[in-house]
Amino acid sequence: MSRRLVHIQTAGFATPNGRAFLMPLLLHSQLLLDAGIELKLFSAEYAKDDLPDCDYLIVDSKALSPRWAKGKDRILSEMQKNRSRAGALIFCDISDSASWDHAQILPFVDLYCKSQLLVDRSLYLQPLYGHRYYADYYHRFFGIKDDQNESSEPVSNPDDLKKLCLGWNSGLADYSLFGPLRMALYEKAPLKTLLRFPWNCKAPSVGRLMNASLRMGTNYSRRSVAFHRKHLADMLGSRLQTGKLSRLAYFRELSRSKLAVSPFGLGEITLRDFEVFLAGAMLVKPDMSHMETWPNFYVPGETFLSYKLDFSDFEVVLETALSDEHRLLEIAREGQLRYLAYVSGPEAGLLFVDHFKAILDRSIIRKGHD
């Protein structure tokens, strides 16, 4: 079997999204090697000429984040140079939102991987208020305005949309009770024993003492982003306590709750989604039909329940769910099973390797088209 060398430039475990980006690569590294894929990781600051001497160069978007404000032209020049030398250049955008962040980089890469993508790719050809699909929605239909009226940069060349590809989302990390602590320690002391995928879950069950949990922060700099959470707090504030808890108390509450509401934050997917799966509650989220992701943990009516972005059916969704405990448990169980299948199930490693191989193969195909 021929060996494929993959260099990855990354900001490391400094952020939750960075951890979810790297963990499956590190924990499945032997399976990847068995499949003929050899990985080498490089720091964000690494800029030597041998970086692109590989079959595939993958750049984690967080590795470039500190440099955009002062060095956009230099970044694009480096990307163009590296693309000419590497077999294929793949940019992995691991930001929270399915909407656009770095349209200017598309012409300089062979493949643009994103943790979640808008189903309607043509939306990337137009600006979205607040850099997000749902922020744009609340701006247009609820009149929400930010102090700084910013919109996403549209893609200028429709042909570049063919470079878009699903990477993997932030679910592939450790969100168990002590998981964030272990991952943070790994940033300081990179011992592989600190890394593990969660496997010990609280099974969905009858007799949970609380109907619902909704713990969230609402302090966002953009009103168009904060609006969703603040509106929920106004709707439920008299019935539910929404303030944050300690992590231990929060997990205890989730484990005693029949369902948990997980609103949008900086992106559609939040770390709370996976904590809810682990705690065995049923997940309730806003409508996510505008986006797709991998792994797809979000099948409405099957792994979670959704409500409309305008909140018009929110109360009905909650009341109906709580009135049919059998269906509620079925959805909670399926959500948990789907999550574990991709994280710590017996086929989880192979599922990731197959997905990663498909990304590499597609990058070469796209390079051949340019």
Side-chain angles (χ1 to χ4, degrees):
M1 179 188 299
S2 60
R3 185 67 55 87
R4 293 192 276 183
L5 179 59
V6 180
H7 286 181
I8 301 174
Q9 189 173 30
T10 175
F13 273 62
T15 65
N17 287 357
R19 295 163 189 168
F21 171 70
L22 288 174
M23 272 193 64
L25 294 168
L26 294 173
L27 291 178
H28 300 315
S29 59
Q30 186 57 54
L31 283 175
L32 287 165
L33 195 60
D34 293 343
I37 300 169
E38 180 182 355
L39 306 179
K40 288 187 178 181
L41 271 57
F42 299 84
S43 69
E45 295 78 20
Y46 192 92
K48 293 185 179 179
D49 287 341
D50 59 349
L51 180 64
D53 289 343
C54 54
D55 299 301
Y56 307 86
L57 173 59
I58 295 178
V59 178
D60 158 13
S61 60
K62 297 294 183 184
L64 302 181
S65 294
R67 300 173 53 197
W68 278 112
K70 295 183 179 179
K72 172 183 172 182
D73 291 340
R74 183 174 179 180
I75 288 175
L76 297 180
S77 177
E78 287 177 5
M79 297 292 280
Q80 186 174 36
K81 177 183 175 182
N82 289 340
R83 184 188 183 196
S84 68
R85 292 184 52 192
L89 176 56
I90 302 170
F91 183 73
C92 283
D93 182 347
I94 61 173
S95 57
D96 292 298
S97 169
S99 306
W100 202 251
D101 283 325
H102 300 298
Q104 68 271 27
I105 213 168
L106 258 178
F108 300 92
V109 301
D110 297 303
L111 203 63
Y112 192 116
C113 284
K114 201 160 171 58
S115 303
Q116 47 271 332
L117 285 168
L118 295 173
V119 172
D120 182 359
R121 303 288 198 263
S122 68
L123 290 174
Y124 292 119
L125 301 173
Q126 62 190 54
L128 291 175
Y129 189 87
H131 300 271
R132 293 160 180 85
Y133 175 90
Y134 49 96
D136 184 81
Y137 177 89
Y138 293 127
H139 172 68
R140 288 185 292 114
F141 293 102
F142 286 76
I144 306 302
K145 295 182 179 180
D146 297 327
D147 290 334
Q148 295 183 343
N149 291 316
E150 296 181 357
S151 297
S152 59
E153 179 183 354
V155 175
S156 57
N157 183 359
D159 285 342
D160 280 339
L161 296 180
K162 298 174 183 176
K163 295 180 180 180
L164 297 178
C165 176
L166 280 177
W168 52 97
N169 61 44
S170 53
L172 301 186
D174 184 1
Y175 301 110
S176 61
L177 179 60
F178 298 107
L181 175 60
R182 285 193 291 266
M183 292 188 293
L185 288 173
Y186 185 86
E187 174 73 8
K188 306 296 182 182
L191 303 173
K192 202 166 182 179
T193 53
L194 291 170
L195 300 184
R196 68 191 74 169
F197 285 126
W199 55 270
N200 188 17
C201 301
K202 178 77 171 180
S205 58
V206 297
R208 293 192 174 213
L209 300 177
M210 293 181 61
N211 281 336
S213 172
L214 173 58
R215 298 290 179 173
M216 60 183 178
T218 59
N219 187 24
Y220 291 95
S221 60
R222 296 183 184 277
R223 292 189 189 93
S224 59
V225 174
F227 174 76
H228 185 93
R229 293 190 173 204
K230 288 185 175 181
H231 193 78
L232 280 180
D234 290 340
M235 292 177 70
L236 296 175
S238 62
R239 287 172 284 170
L240 283 179
Q241 293 184 351
T242 60
K244 289 190 173 182
L245 298 170
S246 71
R247 189 162 180 82
L248 179 58
Y250 166 64
F251 262 79
R252 283 175 175 165
E253 180 173 293
L254 283 181
S255 298
R256 291 162 46 218
S257 300
K258 297 175 183 178
L259 63 82
V261 182
S262 183
F264 294 160
L266 291 175
E268 293 90 346
I269 294 175
T270 72
L271 308 188
R272 179 196 323 271
D273 300 353
F274 315 120
E275 293 162 348
V276 173
F277 288 143
L278 290 172
M282 186 190 71
L283 180 66
V284 178
K285 286 188 69 69
D287 179 22
M288 300 176 76
S289 60
H290 65 280
M291 56 152 277
E292 58 181 329
T293 190
W294 191 93
N296 183 19
F297 303 123
Y298 307 98
V299 183
E302 203 171 307
T303 62
F304 82 113
L305 287 184
S306 67
Y307 57 91
K308 295 178 181 178
L309 287 182
D310 65 3
F311 310 99
S312 60
D313 64 344
F314 179 73
E315 298 277 5
V316 172
V317 168
L318 291 195
E319 291 172 6
T320 303
L322 292 171
S323 68
D324 187 348
E325 191 159 343
H326 176 73
R327 182 167 182 259
L328 186 151
L329 284 173
E330 282 188 339
I331 295 173
R333 289 190 184 105
E334 184 58 33
Q336 187 177 83
L337 288 171
R338 176 76 62 97
Y339 179 62
L340 291 177
Y342 283 93
V343 176
S344 53
E347 302 296 318
L350 294 177
L351 290 169
F352 178 78
V353 169
D354 286 344
H355 185 70
F356 190 71
K357 285 168 61 179
I359 291 172
L360 298 184
D361 293 342
R362 184 171 173 182
S363 71
I364 292 296
I365 292 171
R366 289 306 324 155
K367 191 177 186 78
H369 286 180
D370 284 0

